[in-house]
Amino acid sequence: MDNSGNPQDAVVPPVEGVAGGGTAYGWNDGTVQELSHLKGSIDPTEIPTRDLVHVWCMPSTANVGPQDMPRHLEHINMLAARNERESVQIAIRPKVSWGGSGVAGTVQIQCSDLCSTSGDRLVVGKSLLLRRVVPILGVPDALVPLDLPVSQINLFPGETTALWISIDVPSSQPPGQYEGEILITAIKADADSPVQSLSKVEKQQLYAELKGCLDIVEPIDGKALDEVVERVKSATTSLRRILLSPSFSEFLSDNGSADVMDEDAISSLSLRVKLNLTVWEFVLPETPSLPAVFGISDTVIEDRFGVQQGTAEWYEALDQHFKWLLQYRISPYFCKWADGMRVLTYTSPWPADHPKSDEYFSDPRLAAYAVPYRQVVPGNDAAKDYLQKQVEILRTKTHWRKAYFYLWDEPLNIEQYDSVRNMASEIHAYAPDARVLTTYYCGPNDAPLAPTPFEAFVKVPSFLRPHNQIYCTSEWVLGNREDLVKDIITELQPENGEEWWTYVCMGPSDPHPNWHLGMRGTQHRAVMWRVWKEGGTGFLYWGANCYEKATVASAEIKFRHGLPPGDGVLYYPGEVFSSSNQPVASLRLERLLSGLQDIEYLRLYASRYGRDESLALLERTGMYFGPERYTFEHMPIDAMRGQIFSACRS
């Protein structure tokens, strides 16, 4: 598979008025085949799909846009540990049009299970997921789920469409070589199917008959075996009558059985993409080695989905977001901002003594959880009594070691820093071993701690001590000076439980690693490479769903004014793209997951050969040297993972 992404030296078509003018008509990229044999009306059921579309594969770090040009098709070869997700892209671009109404044509995508020679399987729809890449502001980003094992998509003239294929390998999956394939078949539009033109009366009749079958077989619990058999026979007779009705005549042969010859004919015309996956014995730890805590705005959820705080619908909505995000190896927390960047943060909306809180905090996929400083849902307890009660309950739990308090986002002056100190003092009065986290990029601006801004920034730990335990600093402050990291670490007292975490937000900007829309794929993934090299022990991101306010779930997504596009938004409401209420991930969220998985690989390697050798591996493979020097191509990533596989497998 070509892992190079878009090559810098690719020949581009001339554009009128630019670089010498001319016209793009007649330009040839050297890959277009002669299509003179396709004359007149095109019937996709009689022509091989490879004559109708270009298909090629791209790595997960490639930004495949509508104007990306075709490449040579190579089969997919992937490597994955157990409890890891690996992704790849398939790009499709029409050579000709065989559809109508502005559509070049429709293709059917069919995915098979991945099977090993010993009979083990990775099941499509469970371990193998298929999503369509949808542009946001013209940039490929949203990953909209498609039906499995078979789905249909429309292609448009002169546009490339990308599909995102993810394989989730369970922790218990036997290692080995797995093979499968993806069939891409050009088909006639759905409108040609008689089933699509059923009248309302026919649909109502079909619905009633199918519902009748369900009513026959559904109430069988506790029934005698003879009665169950009779019910199944009755339902079978009804289903056979429905299948033999005129509505489904196109699928039946003369003898009344399904005509598989048509399916065989279509398969012979299909374009097949082979997928080979090597699963090795390494199991990514269920609890992430690096706590990565990500904010979810509860206010955005309340506004967009019309749920009121404290109602059953509100708890259900928050629960859905929390559980969905756990698959990305991040530890979600809900947040609400107040004046002066004071924040109320909490991982569980329920009180500490509620069974759901214990379920959340005990989940092994959760590496850290935020404890609220005050009540999330107003109740009868006084603020002081509430805090004391919650802390006393949580301190008796084994998961207390995951707990932290996040009280203020980026304090700027003495008053705000003093507020942090006062709240932390109250918390430590009830729990001396509690961890307080503060994000910051400067010292108090009205009482400088040192002659220069950076020196004042470095002195923040001595100013906040002993009230703060997790010092979470902006990567923006460091710029490209990784040598400044030692100045920060020198000020900390790890023997007293102090930690150094980092964060990104609207800064740093290009070319530094971040998750802004439009950055390179490797730039997104490199956020976590930077964390590994610098030696941070945790990471924070301020918001994953912080788009502009809307009061309708399906309302257009708008990024907040004053922020770089994509900042604070890593996933989208499913209702924007379909009738589904499941959140829709971004490419950037998937690349964040890949970066966190890279850390687990590097940690394994460091456990065998030492941390210094793991850093040398980053440079030896050309993957990452620093925040302004990292690979733009995917190949060094495969090289790093491949070398760790070779060095650490049994």
Side-chain angles (χ1 to χ4, degrees):
M1 190 181 109
D2 184 352
N3 290 327
S4 62
N6 289 324
Q8 301 295 316
D9 57 352
V11 179
V12 297
V15 179
E16 187 155 359
V18 179
T23 171
Y25 183 78
W27 172 80
N28 191 335
D29 67 352
T31 64
V32 180
Q33 298 175 357
E34 178 61 49
L35 303 176
S36 60
H37 65 289
L38 299 178
K39 297 179 180 180
S41 177
I42 297 175
D43 184 351
T45 64
E46 298 178 356
I47 301 170
T49 296
R50 67 175 57 254
D51 290 346
L52 303 179
V53 298
H54 297 282
V55 176
W56 68 102
C57 303
M58 296 294 284
S60 59
T61 52
N63 291 328
V64 183
Q67 298 310 312
D68 272 37
M69 299 308 292
R71 295 165 178 263
H72 178 67
L73 174 61
E74 297 181 7
H75 296 315
I76 300 170
N77 291 292
M78 304 171 73
L79 170 71
R82 296 184 288 177
N83 195 34
E84 182 177 22
R85 172 181 293 178
E86 267 297 282
S87 300
V88 69
Q89 298 180 80
I90 292 180
I92 309 174
R93 187 180 181 92
K95 296 180 179 180
V96 295
S97 292
W98 66 93
S101 303
V103 176
T106 303
V107 293
Q108 177 177 286
I109 315 296
Q110 183 171 355
C111 303
S112 73
D113 293 348
L114 299 183
C115 304
S116 71
T117 53
S118 58
D120 299 304
R121 286 178 177 266
L122 289 163
V123 179
V124 65
K126 184 178 180 182
S127 290
L128 191 149
L129 306 176
L130 179 66
R131 289 170 286 180
R132 181 171 185 164
V133 181
V134 175
I136 302 293
L137 295 182
V139 178
D141 195 54
L143 298 176
V144 180
L146 295 174
D147 293 334
L148 284 172
V150 180
S151 191
Q152 295 180 10
I153 61 170
N154 290 329
L155 304 179
F156 296 92
E159 290 190 9
T160 296
T161 295
L163 302 176
W164 186 278
I165 299 168
S166 295
I167 301 173
D168 290 308
V169 182
S171 298
S172 58
Q173 191 71 28
Q177 300 289 331
Y178 290 77
E179 295 183 356
E181 64 180 4
I182 297 159
L183 270 65
I184 300 172
T185 312
I187 61 173
K188 292 181 178 179
D190 285 344
D192 293 340
S193 172
V195 178
Q196 297 295 321
S197 58
L198 292 176
S199 68
K200 184 174 182 180
V201 173
E202 290 172 320
K203 289 180 181 177
Q204 287 177 332
Q205 181 180 353
L206 186 59
Y207 174 84
E209 290 178 339
L210 290 172
K211 186 176 185 300
C213 293
L214 188 62
D215 292 338
I216 292 172
V217 298
E218 214 170 28
I220 60 174
D221 289 343
K223 301 291 185 181
L225 179 60
D226 290 343
E227 183 178 350
V228 172
V229 171
E230 287 302 316
R231 286 176 177 269
V232 171
K233 285 182 177 179
S234 176
T236 301
T237 301
S238 298
L239 286 172
R240 183 176 292 108
R241 183 177 66 252
I242 295 170
L243 291 175
L244 292 173
S245 69
S247 298
F248 301 100
S249 59
E250 65 173 332
F251 305 116
L252 302 174
S253 62
D254 294 338
N255 63 6
S257 62
D259 185 359
V260 297
M261 293 304 293
D262 286 346
E263 183 178 339
D264 289 343
I266 289 176
S267 296
S268 69
L269 298 174
S270 300
L271 192 155
R272 298 171 182 267
V273 180
K274 298 289 185 181
L275 199 162
N276 300 307
L277 173 70
T278 299
V279 175
W280 65 301
E281 60 269 23
F282 175 45
V283 182
L284 267 63
E286 191 171 14
T287 302
S289 302
L290 182 91
V293 299
F294 280 61
I296 312 170
S297 171
D298 58 5
T299 306
V300 168
I301 293 174
E302 291 160 7
D303 292 340
R304 181 169 280 266
F305 299 103
V307 293
Q308 185 176 353
Q309 186 187 59
T311 63
E313 293 78 13
W314 180 77
Y315 284 107
E316 183 179 346
L318 267 58
D319 185 59
Q320 180 195 29
H321 284 251
F322 172 82
K323 290 179 177 177
W324 183 82
L325 282 167
L326 282 178
Q327 67 179 296
Y328 290 97
R329 298 186 71 80
I330 62 179
S331 297
Y333 67 86
F334 299 99
C335 55
K336 192 186 298 291
W337 275 268
D339 296 336
M341 300 295 279
R342 180 167 55 88
V343 288
L344 174 65
T345 61
Y346 58 97
T347 294
S348 171
W350 290 275
D353 57 354
H354 194 284
K356 287 290 288 186
S357 289
D358 206 48
E359 174 192 322
Y360 274 34
F361 302 154
S362 299
D363 194 312
R365 296 171 296 172
L366 192 75
Y369 64 82
V371 182
Y373 174 72
R374 60 176 177 82
Q375 279 182 293
V376 176
V377 179
N380 298 324
D381 290 341
K384 182 177 180 180
D385 294 341
Y386 177 83
L387 177 62
Q388 182 177 1
K389 180 180 178 182
Q390 302 307 296
V391 169
E392 289 176 349
I393 292 171
L394 292 174
R395 290 189 74 196
T396 65
K397 307 288 187 177
T398 56
H399 53 59
W400 170 247
R401 56 185 172 77
K402 300 182 184 180
Y404 67 93
F405 290 83
Y406 178 23
L407 309 171
W408 208 285
D409 182 30
E410 299 180 332
L412 298 176
N413 53 45
I414 283 291
E415 181 183 0
Q416 294 175 359
Y417 270 97
D418 281 346
S419 294
V420 174
R421 292 156 64 100
N422 292 336
M423 287 187 284
S425 294
E426 185 179 354
I427 292 168
H428 288 137
Y430 308 130
D433 57 343
R435 297 188 302 168
V436 174
L437 178 154
T438 304
T439 54
Y440 63 98
Y441 63 88
C442 66
N445 54 27
D446 53 355
L449 304 178
T452 69
F454 182 77
E455 289 176 316
F457 163 79
V458 169
K459 293 297 182 184
V460 166
S462 61
F463 179 66
L464 275 181
R465 190 176 291 124
H467 308 288
N468 198 80
Q469 286 67 47
I470 302 176
Y471 295 90
C472 190
T473 65
S474 169
E475 292 281 22
W476 168 79
V477 176
L478 297 175
N480 64 352
R481 295 280 308 278
E482 283 191 322
D483 58 298
L484 299 176
V485 169
K486 65 179 184 301
D487 296 329
I488 299 172
I489 295 177
T490 300
E491 288 291 325
L492 299 182
Q493 299 176 358
E495 67 277 9
N496 293 326
E498 292 183 354
E499 299 181 52
W500 178 50
W501 291 19
T502 53
Y503 68 94
V504 297
C505 50
M506 61 187 301
S509 57
D510 190 64
H512 290 202
N514 207 325
W515 293 311
H516 299 164
L517 195 68
M519 288 182 166
R520 301 176 188 87
T522 54
Q523 197 169 0
H524 296 145
R525 191 158 172 169
V527 172
M528 290 302 156
W529 304 343
R530 181 173 190 172
V531 171
W532 176 260
K533 186 174 182 186
E534 292 176 350
T537 56
F539 190 87
L540 179 142
Y541 191 63
W542 69 278
N545 69 330
C546 296
Y547 25 76
E548 284 283 12
K549 179 178 178 178
T551 55
V552 177
S554 60
E556 177 188 5
I557 292 295
K558 295 181 180 179
F559 298 120
R560 292 189 178 181
H561 293 294
L563 298 179
D567 183 33
V569 178
L570 293 177
Y571 67 97
Y572 304 99
E575 292 86 347
V576 173
F577 306 96
S578 69
S579 59
S580 172
N581 65 354
Q582 282 294 310
V584 167
S586 67
L587 291 181
R588 295 166 293 125
L589 183 59
E590 291 290 337
R591 289 164 180 165
L592 157 64
L593 170 62
S594 295
L596 288 167
Q597 293 175 162
D598 291 337
I599 282 183
E600 302 297 356
Y601 271 64
L602 290 164
R603 193 168 185 268
L604 171 68
Y605 191 77
S607 71
R608 303 278 185 92
Y609 304 100
R611 174 171 166 77
D612 288 345
E613 185 57 29
S614 76
L615 299 179
L617 179 64
L618 288 178
E619 297 191 2
R620 191 164 61 246
T621 56
M623 194 172 98
Y624 186 84
F625 297 90
E628 293 183 352
R629 291 182 62 208
Y630 51 87
T631 180
F632 290 176
E633 314 295 350
H634 192 84
M635 194 171 296
I637 300 174
D638 283 343
M640 180 275 291
R641 290 165 52 84
Q643 289 192 31
I644 292 176
F645 162 70
S646 298
C648 299
R649 62 178 171 173
S650 300

